[in-house]
């Protein structure tokens, strides 16, 4: 670690200027803490700054994909359509940044490379990749769950002579596909959004699919001004609803019964209705789709039957039909995804049957054929949850790194997904074992930021120097998270949820599935009991809470 400039001593350092970092900065600054946000990119936005690929939009409905802490912000911003496109979300985050005058405390073009806890001085030494260093009492990560992109280590990866892009790091200038031979690898949310848009422009698009996805229609539309007026008038009610909901959305389980209680005809009708409505509600058609394999199969089979209906060539339809539990991988929303495979300029290649063996100067080779390409799009996803944190060399007490702590055994362990034993005064926004990606993420971010802000104020008001999660509390929380996850189908399928998409990553389900309302209650109780499960150290006296 380089020499620290003592003049750069801050109360808090926050990493990342996306939804998390922006609100954390505001919350702490309002409470009088000197705070600086460090951001590797040239501007605000986090994943919405980086994910500029064609078709990029969000699956959460616009009116709840925003902060709710300020009525002024809610009243002054107007969303245009049901699902917000990347550019509109980025505009929104710029609007918030300017409206709250946040930019003056954000240092762009600065990647934080290390954060080491100094036990003697009870503060964090934080180093940027330009060699500058800072001291802060609190170290807070707002690095997102899906920001460490994954490009599989294909043989010959760098030999390709054409253009290559990852969806998560898309250029700012428009990529011209016109007349070109484009290959796209990956059929998760990113690939499924990009494929129909690229197909419209490309000379030919070849989609390399390893695992087919279950995708249901988004059915986006422009908002009616009257709907916006009513929404703005009712925002307080909406806010309470999403904060105490299961997943941070307005939609709830549509039929509060098992799928197996309905006859096949009744089920067909219910699934048809929800399919027509569009949006993420499909997984909520019945209350047991994520816990009962037999019920799940009814929804899975309905989507497979839709694929058969839409796709003209039965061989292509067969390749597009998934066989695992619907929604155990992140469910996908699309606009004309399956329809795109009826186009003459689109080819589907099954790379489970014939895996990609090499990227070549001219294109891509599978075990069966070579495909000549002008452009390769990697829609190959992310090293989720832990990946973004591991990009920083985070070391707690006795120099133990977070990476080593979490590599020990097969499971990452945290307390509430916010804190780690051995890492005093460090907080993670939407960290592993919090509801994070199983929720409408801004709702989870607001809850974490407010909890962390309140906690830091409590420490100041009570002259507490450090707060640190207790090992036993951490162990109990992780066990609780694992047990909840095991009671669902989510752990029964290989996905980025389980870490299975990253070679050699320990398998583990790092998301709290109990719901955002329940989670909020647990976090509030912990705080109300004087930060139960944490050790608090006053200047000369140690108190361990019960
Ligand atoms: P993803 O869901 O992990 O999909 C990656 C795709 O790449 C999968 O189809 C995967 O196949 C394939 N792949 C990976 N390695 C491969 C290899 N070596 N050979 C062939 N194929 C390979 O990633 P994503 O689509 O970027 O989405 C990640 C998450 O970001 C989403 O689930 C969502 O939470 C979020 N996101 C949301 C939105 C939205 O709100 N609409 C949009 C984009 C992203 P396998 O399935 O076989 O591994």
């Amino acid at each position: 670690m380089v020499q620290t400039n003592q003049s750069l001593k801050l109360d808090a350092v926050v990493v990342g200027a996306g939804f998390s970092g922006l609100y954390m900065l505001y919350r702490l600054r309002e409470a009088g803490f000197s705070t600086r946000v460090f951001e590797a990119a040239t501007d605000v936005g986090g994943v919405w700054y980086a994910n500029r690929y064609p078709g990029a939009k969000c699956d959460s409905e616009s009116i709840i994909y925003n902060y709710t802490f300020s009525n002024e912000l809610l009243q002054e911003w107007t969303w245009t359509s049901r699902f917000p496109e990347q550019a509109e979300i980025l505009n929104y985050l710029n609007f918030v940044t300017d409206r709250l005058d946040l930019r003056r405390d954000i240092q762009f073009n600065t990647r934080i490379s290390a954060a080491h806890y100094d036990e003697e001085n009870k503060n964090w030494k934080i180093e940027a990749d330009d060699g500058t260093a800072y001291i802060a009492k609190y170290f807070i990560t707002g690095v997102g769950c899906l920001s460490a992109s994954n490009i599989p280590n294909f043989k010959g990866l760098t030999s390709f002579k054409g253009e290559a892009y990852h969806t998560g790091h898309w250029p700012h200038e428009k990529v011209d596909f016109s007349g070109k031979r484009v290959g796209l690898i990956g059929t998760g949310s990113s690939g499924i959004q990009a494929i129909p848009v690229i197909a419209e422009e490309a000379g030919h698009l070849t989609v390399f699919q390893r695992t087919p996805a279950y995708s249901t229609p988004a059915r986006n539309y422009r908002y009616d001004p009257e709907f916006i007026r009513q929404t703005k008038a009712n925002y307080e009610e909406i806010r309470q609803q999403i904060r105490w909901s299961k997943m941070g959305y307005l939609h709830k389980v549509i039929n509060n019964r098992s799928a197996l209680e309905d006859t096949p005809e009744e089920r067909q009708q219910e699934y048809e209705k929800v399919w027509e409505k569009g949006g993420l509600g499909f997984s909520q058609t019945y209350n047991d789709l994520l816990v009962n394999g037999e019920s799940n199969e009814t929804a899975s089979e309905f989507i497979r039957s839709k694929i058969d209906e839409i796709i003209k060539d039965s061989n292509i339809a067969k390749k597009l039909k998934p066989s695992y539990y619907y929604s155990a991988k992140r469910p996908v929303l699309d606009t004309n995804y399956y329809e795109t495979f009826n186009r003459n300029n689109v080819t589907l290649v099954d790379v489970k049957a014939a895996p990609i063996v090499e990227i070549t100067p001219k294109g891509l080779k599978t075990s069966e054929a070579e495909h000549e390409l002008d452009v390769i799009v990697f829609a190959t996803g992310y090293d989720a949850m832990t990946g973004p944190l591991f990009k920083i060399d985070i070391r707690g007490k006795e120099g133990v790194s977070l990476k080593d702590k979490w590599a020990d055994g097969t499971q990452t362990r945290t307390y509430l997904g916010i804190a780690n034993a051995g890492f005093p005064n460090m907080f993670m926004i939407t960290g592993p074992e919090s509801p994070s990606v199983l929720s409408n993420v801004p709702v989870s971010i607001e809850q974490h930021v407010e909890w962390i802000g309140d906690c830091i104020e409590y420490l100041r008001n009570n002259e507490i120097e450090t707060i640190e999660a207790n090992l036993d509390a951490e162990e109990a929380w992780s066990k609780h998270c694992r047990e909840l996850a095991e009671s669902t189908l989510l752990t029964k399928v290989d996905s980025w949820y389980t870490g299975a998409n990253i070679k050699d990553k320990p398998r583990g389900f790092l998301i709290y599935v109990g719901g955002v309302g329940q989670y909020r209650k647990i976090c509030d109780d912990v705080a109300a009991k004087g930060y139960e499960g944490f050790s608090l150290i006053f200047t000369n006296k140690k108190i361990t809470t019960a």
Side-chain angles (χ1 to χ4, degrees), residues 271-520:
Y271 286 137
E272 282 289 358
K273 266 197 281 184
V274 191
W275 177 272
E276 279 314 310
K277 207 167 167 227
L280 279 175
F282 194 84
S283 61
Q284 305 298 307
T285 310
Y286 292 101
N287 68 11
D288 63 344
L289 295 183
L290 255 189
V291 292
N292 180 332
E294 212 184 320
S295 295
N296 188 288
E297 176 56 20
T298 66
S300 304
E301 185 48 31
F302 177 85
I303 299 175
R304 288 193 286 263
S305 74
K306 285 289 179 192
I307 297 172
D308 276 330
E309 255 175 48
I310 297 167
I311 302 289
K312 292 179 188 150
D313 179 331
S314 60
N315 284 325
I316 299 177
K318 198 167 158 202
K319 285 188 203 165
L320 284 168
K321 285 192 280 185
S323 56
Y324 51 87
Y325 295 125
Y326 161 68
S327 213
K329 274 179 175 249
R330 159 72 152 76
V332 179
L333 296 190
D334 75 271
T335 303
N336 295 330
Y337 171 62
Y338 293 121
E339 289 81 350
T340 299
F341 291 94
N342 290 330
R343 294 176 66 106
N344 292 331
N345 71 335
V346 176
T347 308
L348 178 65
V349 175
D350 178 357
V351 294
K352 187 156 263 170
I356 297 168
V357 288
E358 188 177 356
I359 305 289
T360 67
K362 284 185 183 170
L364 180 163
K365 230 187 235 175
T366 69
S367 60
E368 267 176 3
E370 177 153 15
H371 300 263
E372 292 198 1
L373 302 166
D374 302 309
V375 186
I376 300 179
V377 175
F378 292 93
T380 43
Y382 298 88
D383 180 355
M385 321 300 298
T386 53
L389 291 162
F390 288 167
K391 283 168 88 173
I392 306 171
D393 176 23
I394 300 171
R395 289 173 191 269
K397 284 158 65 177
E398 295 168 17
V400 172
S401 82
L402 193 63
K403 204 168 185 174
D404 286 344
K405 177 183 164 166
W406 286 350
D408 180 15
T410 55
Q411 277 285 346
T412 300
R413 282 162 171 74
T414 74
Y415 184 38
L416 302 172
I418 299 177
N420 292 289
F423 295 76
N425 290 0
M426 173 185 163
F427 301 92
M428 301 175 293
I429 305 172
T430 66
E433 298 179 336
S434 72
S436 69
V437 290
L438 274 186
S439 68
N440 176 28
V441 180
V443 176
S444 288
I445 287 172
E446 274 201 345
Q447 185 261 338
H448 263 186
V449 166
E450 286 160 13
W451 192 94
I452 294 166
D454 290 351
C455 174
I456 291 177
E457 279 197 82
Y458 178 89
L459 302 181
R460 179 178 61 188
N461 296 344
N462 292 282
E463 294 176 15
I464 296 163
E465 206 159 19
T466 63
I467 183 166
E468 179 187 346
N470 294 334
L471 254 180
D472 55 349
E474 184 173 274
E475 194 55 51
W477 178 252
S478 290
K479 186 165 174 279
H480 176 56
C481 286
R482 290 196 297 277
E483 283 170 357
L484 284 179
E486 281 302 332
S487 68
T488 72
L489 301 173
L490 290 161
T491 55
K492 316 293 183 280
V493 170
D494 283 350
S495 69
W496 63 256
Y497 286 156
T498 61
N501 63 327
I502 301 297
K503 196 166 176 288
D504 300 331
K505 185 166 179 169
R507 197 183 169 100
F509 193 88
L510 302 179
I511 314 162
Y512 173 76
V513 302
V516 300
Q518 178 62 16
Y519 177 78
R520 179 182 291 275

Side-chain angles (χ1 to χ4, degrees), residues 206-275:
T206 308
V207 176
F208 298 92
Q209 169 195 270
R210 187 165 66 182
T211 311
Y214 290 104
S215 188
T216 60
R219 305 213 193 279
N220 200 10
Y221 51 75
R222 283 188 78 77
Y223 279 140
D224 175 67
E226 178 53 22
F227 172 77
I228 290 290
R229 196 195 61 73
Q230 283 176 19
T231 301
K232 288 194 180 190
N234 290 325
Y235 251 131
E236 185 48 33
E237 199 185 318
I238 292 172
R239 178 172 193 256
Q240 290 308 325
Q241 223 176 307
I242 56 179
R243 279 156 75 91
W244 294 101
S245 67
K246 177 86 179 167
M247 293 167 83
Y249 295 105
L250 288 169
H251 62 251
K252 300 193 174 90
V253 169
I254 295 162
N255 297 297
N256 196 13
R257 58 179 180 274
S258 164
L260 304 179
E261 286 179 43
D262 278 4
T263 64
E265 294 72 28
E266 286 165 342
R267 273 199 301 266
Q268 182 72 15
Q269 257 186 11
E270 291 304 319
Y271 286 137
E272 282 289 358
K273 266 197 281 184
V274 191
W275 177 272

